[in-house]
Amino acid sequence: MSGEVLAFVESGTVAPQMALMLVIIVSFLLSLIAGMNNDTISDFFTADRSLSSVKNTLALCGDYFPITALLGSVGATALGGYDGMLVTISVAAALGALVLLAEPLRKTGRFTLGDMLESRVGGGAARVAGAVITVAICVPLMVVQLTVAGRVSASVLGLSRPGAAEVCTIFLGLLIVSFAAFGGMRGSSMIQMVKVVVVFGTVLAVTCIALSRFHWNFDNMLDLAARHSGGAGVFHTSGLKYGPTTTGRLDLASLCVTLFLGSAVYPHILLRVSASRDGAAARRASSSALVVIGLLHASLIILGLSAAATLGAGTIVADNRDGSTTLFLITDSLANGHAGLLFTMVACAAFVTSLSTVAGLTLATSASLTHDLYLHMSRRRATSETREVNVARVAVVVFGLVCVYLAVLFNQWSIVALSSFAAAITASAVLPALVYSLFWKGFTRIGLLCTLYGSLVCCAVLEVFGPAVSGGPYALFTARDFHWFPLQNIGLVSVPVGFLLGWVGSWLSRRRRPHASEHAYYVTT
Amino acid sequence: MTSTMYMQDDPSEHVVRHRPMKTEGQLRARLIALNLTSAGVPLLAALFLNDRLATSVFGSFTFGMLLLTAGMLTLIVAGLWYDRACRFHLAPQADEQPGLIQGSGPGAWGRP
């Protein structure tokens, strides 16, 4: 395993383990210093909307770029050819949707999903539904991020004993929970900024070294990549990821649709957008982030092609069947003499990426639990700001610990179903609800509840009876097969259902009560 | 920002208010069309073009890669264009709208 090299090779100046410790200490100090002024709830969750445009753009890029994107994109391109590149570009393209939504979202002046939806249709039901959807998205996502981070940390540090990944997951989880609880949005933003600089710099450096190995001849690299993966007729056409069948192509389309529509409206991204100074700043940050994330994904695609050209699919699959260690393998292959430094950079990038993404998710969920459920549902609106911040910190810790426990529980299981489920709910429930509430006058509270709960049920049913849970190659229960839905990615069905439910619900409630939308207007004004 | 302001029905206000809303809608529609095209064309190509994606355009650079590159570049340029267009066409008028305060504003459908 390439990662074992990291554990034993020294860079000459800084040992890799020391570099990781340095990252932890710097991150902890940054979140401590930045979080000293978290006196009010606005400070804690939105950094009092005081981040400058550049800082906000960097932090948005950081929030948008999880560990699964860093490790998954390179492997997907190397193993999936055209399919992998299409999936990678779909993730980056989702920011195009955020460019559209950022300004109106920020103009609502709210910072949680439930709060934003409540500002449109009024009533506590919208707030509770928003909180339920936030938890339903963030718990699986947190488990996925923590599990991947634990596995990668264990393999990079050369810890191969049974239980090593679980120990790494617990250690990382506790660190992140403490970062989020102490630092709040300010601390999280600082870590996100550091992460973007480290990750972007590392990926760019590795990409340049990879291209220089081919004497900057991109044509030669493409040719070799295709030859090592069964020829141009296989590598550059669709079918490598899910097979060249109709179901395989529909599965690919479903994944791309889910990523394109869902990646930009995760709860932690919404929280980040709401931390912008104003609507124009949110829009500007989104369009600038589109450029940065686009370049980053382009670099990852080049690295994936370079991995396919240098290593070939066989070597990558032999190391890890889903290709999530491809970035480390290609770094190892490119190292030649200065392995320690390059490896340390990549390991630090992966480590800080996992730290910051989970911190963002923890904050978004605790914001929803505190602001939407505790304050508004438990009739304690008159509580003091200090008490509210303390409740938020407790929510961060409790939610974080529950997720760490679940991540340890799921460590040896396939996480494909969890990540597919979270992405599908975001695309099928959050996006329709936001689009309708921001741009459609006729949207009613019933329509909103139909979209949110209906999509949640639809996603759960399709996911449980799909190949991601049983019957598929990466299924959660490998020994059992009770699936009847053919697609591993359910977005192709669940997204239209989500939009349809919102429209039908609104139409039916307006028929029953002709002045429903006017009522909603008076509630919100 | 109150409902009383919304009830004011001064025609001169409508002239100022409706023009930017229309422009905002137009800009938004164009960006949606560009985004859907640039993300949708490579996906449709994957579904229907099969082996033609591997056709060489120049050297080892294939038609499929050309579609992906063009799609990504279009998305980035469209995002930058939208931001610039909003800044130049909408921001001045938006500032003139009554009752619009920093931190909270109207819904995008035009309600004050």
Side-chain angles (χ1 to χ4, degrees):
Chain A
M1 163 66 215
S2 61
E4 287 170 4
V5 177
L6 176 66
F8 302 110
V9 178
E10 299 215 351
S11 66
T13 49
V14 184
Q17 289 90 342
M18 278 190 69
L20 290 184
M21 283 307 294
L22 199 69
V23 169
I24 293 171
I25 292 167
V26 168
S27 304
F28 195 67
L29 282 177
L30 277 176
S31 62
L32 259 185
I33 294 166
M36 283 171 92
N37 294 327
N38 284 336
D39 300 326
T40 65
I41 205 76
S42 174
D43 279 327
F44 191 75
F45 285 126
T46 62
D48 207 22
R49 290 171 173 141
S50 59
L51 291 178
S52 71
S53 185
V54 176
K55 284 181 180 175
N56 203 33
T57 303
L58 287 176
L60 178 60
C61 292
D63 264 325
Y64 193 78
F65 194 74
I67 181 82
T68 41
L70 177 66
L71 302 178
S73 302
V74 183
T77 305
L79 296 178
Y82 182 85
D83 291 354
M85 290 185 258
L86 185 60
V87 170
T88 305
I89 283 182
S90 297
V91 177
L95 269 171
L98 190 65
V99 173
L100 272 169
L101 295 175
E103 187 173 7
L105 278 175
R106 173 62 189 87
K107 279 183 172 178
T108 62
R110 313 297 177 99
F111 61 87
T112 63
L113 178 64
D115 215 2
M116 285 170 184
L117 297 174
E118 194 249 12
S119 74
R120 171 67 175 90
V121 298
R127 210 174 257 280
V128 174
V132 168
I133 293 292
T134 302
V135 172
I137 292 168
C138 289
V139 170
L141 262 187
M142 281 275 286
V143 172
V144 169
Q145 299 290 328
L146 282 170
T147 307
V148 172
R151 286 178 192 172
V152 168
S153 303
S155 73
V156 160
L157 291 168
L159 306 170
S160 53
R161 287 182 183 175
E166 283 86 342
V167 172
C168 285
T169 301
I170 293 172
F171 177 66
L172 277 173
L174 294 180
L175 262 177
I176 296 159
V177 168
S178 58
F179 287 170
F182 282 120
M185 180 53 101
R186 282 185 210 278
S188 164
S189 304
M190 290 298 284
I191 299 175
Q192 299 288 10
M193 285 179 247
V194 171
K195 161 190 165 177
V196 170
V197 173
V198 170
V199 170
F200 200 74
T202 304
V203 169
L204 219 57
V206 180
T207 307
C208 287
I209 294 171
L211 279 172
S212 71
R213 285 300 155 92
F214 294 93
H215 306 288
W216 302 95
N217 188 341
F218 188 65
D219 193 49
N220 186 24
M221 191 174 83
L222 269 180
D223 185 40
L224 271 175
R227 267 197 272 162
H228 284 173
S229 309
V234 176
F235 192 72
H236 289 299
T237 55
S238 179
L240 264 181
K241 194 165 175 66
Y242 293 110
T245 58
T246 307
T247 311
R249 292 212 165 95
L250 287 176
D251 225 337
L252 175 72
S254 193
L255 177 61
C256 291
V257 165
T258 309
L259 293 174
F260 178 60
L261 297 178
S263 300
V265 286
Y266 281 115
H268 61 295
I269 306 283
L270 299 181
L271 186 65
R272 172 65 56 195
V273 166
S274 70
S276 310
R277 280 183 178 167
D278 51 33
R283 188 191 63 227
R284 204 162 304 138
S286 307
S287 61
S288 307
L290 179 59
V291 179
V292 178
I293 292 290
L295 290 174
L296 193 55
H297 280 82
S299 297
L300 291 174
I301 287 176
I302 293 174
L303 272 180
L305 292 171
S306 154
T310 315
L311 307 165
T315 313
I316 297 168
V317 174
D319 194 65
N320 187 294
R321 66 176 181 167
D322 60 3
S324 60
T325 52
T326 312
L327 181 60
F328 298 107
L329 288 174
I330 184 66
T331 312
D332 184 25
S333 162
L334 294 171
N336 277 3
H338 43 303
L341 180 62
L342 209 57
F343 250 108
T344 306
M345 284 169 67
V346 172
C348 286
F351 192 70
V352 79
T353 302
S354 56
L355 280 183
S356 56
T357 306
V358 180
L361 281 167
T362 314
L363 263 185
T365 316
S366 70
S368 197
L369 292 175
T370 313
H371 198 67
D372 293 339
L373 290 184
Y374 176 77
L375 282 181
H376 289 268
M377 295 297 112
S378 66
R379 301 179 188 281
R380 294 193 184 186
R381 289 166 193 251
T383 190
S384 69
E385 288 269 7
T386 316
R387 184 182 166 83
E388 205 173 329
V389 173
N390 289 337
V391 170
R393 287 201 165 109
V394 171
V396 166
V397 173
V398 171
F399 175 74
L401 291 179
V402 169
C403 286
V404 170
Y405 174 72
L406 289 175
V408 171
L409 214 63
F410 275 88
N411 221 289
Q412 299 304 324
W413 295 38
S414 171
I415 48 169
V416 172
L418 290 178
S419 77
S420 159
F421 180 64
I425 298 183
T426 316
S428 322
V430 179
L431 185 79
L434 287 177
V435 167
Y436 279 149
S437 41
L438 291 172
F439 302 117
W440 184 30
K441 268 184 191 176
F443 195 45
T444 64
R445 191 186 311 171
I446 302 293
L448 173 75
L449 297 177
C450 285
T451 302
L452 294 180
Y453 290 125
S455 295
L456 183 61
V457 171
C458 174
C459 288
V461 169
L462 294 180
E463 194 69 47
V464 167
F465 295 105
V469 171
S470 72
Y474 296 100
L476 199 61
F477 304 111
T478 42
R480 303 186 68 182
D481 185 3
F482 47 85
H483 87 283
W484 49 260
F485 186 70
L487 302 181
Q488 190 174 303
N489 303 290
I490 58 176
L492 207 58
V493 175
S494 64
V495 172
V497 166
F499 276 100
L500 193 69
L501 284 172
W503 181 78
V504 170
S506 301
W507 182 68
L508 286 177
S509 63
R510 269 187 323 213
R511 271 190 65 186
R512 212 170 40 181
R513 196 156 49 100
H515 300 295
S517 56
E518 284 82 351
H519 171 72
Y521 155 69
Y522 282 115
V523 168
T524 50
T525 52
Chain B
M1 191 165 58
T2 63
S3 56
T4 322
M5 282 181 182
Y6 182 66
M7 295 301 176
Q8 288 173 354
D9 205 19
D10 180 2
S12 60
E13 249 187 32
H14 279 274
V15 174
V16 177
R17 194 180 298 164
H18 282 177
R19 198 182 298 147
M21 287 307 164
K22 195 178 172 189
T23 313
E24 192 177 359
Q26 285 170 344
L27 292 176
R28 202 182 298 135
R30 284 176 201 168
L31 183 63
I32 289 172
L34 281 170
N35 280 354
L36 287 180
T37 309
S38 36
V41 168
L43 180 59
L44 290 175
L47 288 176
F48 299 112
L49 286 185
N50 300 332
D51 293 343
R52 282 179 218 165
L53 284 173
T55 310
S56 171
V57 178
F58 46 87
S60 301
F61 198 79
T62 58
F63 179 60
M65 289 207 67
L66 181 70
L67 283 181
L68 290 172
T69 312
M72 196 62 228
L73 285 176
T74 311
L75 272 163
I76 291 176
V77 172
L80 293 174
W81 160 80
Y82 180 75
D83 178 41
R84 191 172 179 277
C86 284
R87 231 182 307 161
F88 282 93
H89 295 292
L90 304 180
Q93 288 94 331
D95 289 340
E96 288 168 22
Q97 284 184 34
L100 210 167
I101 54 164
Q102 192 176 13
S104 68
W109 58 90
R111 202 187 64 216

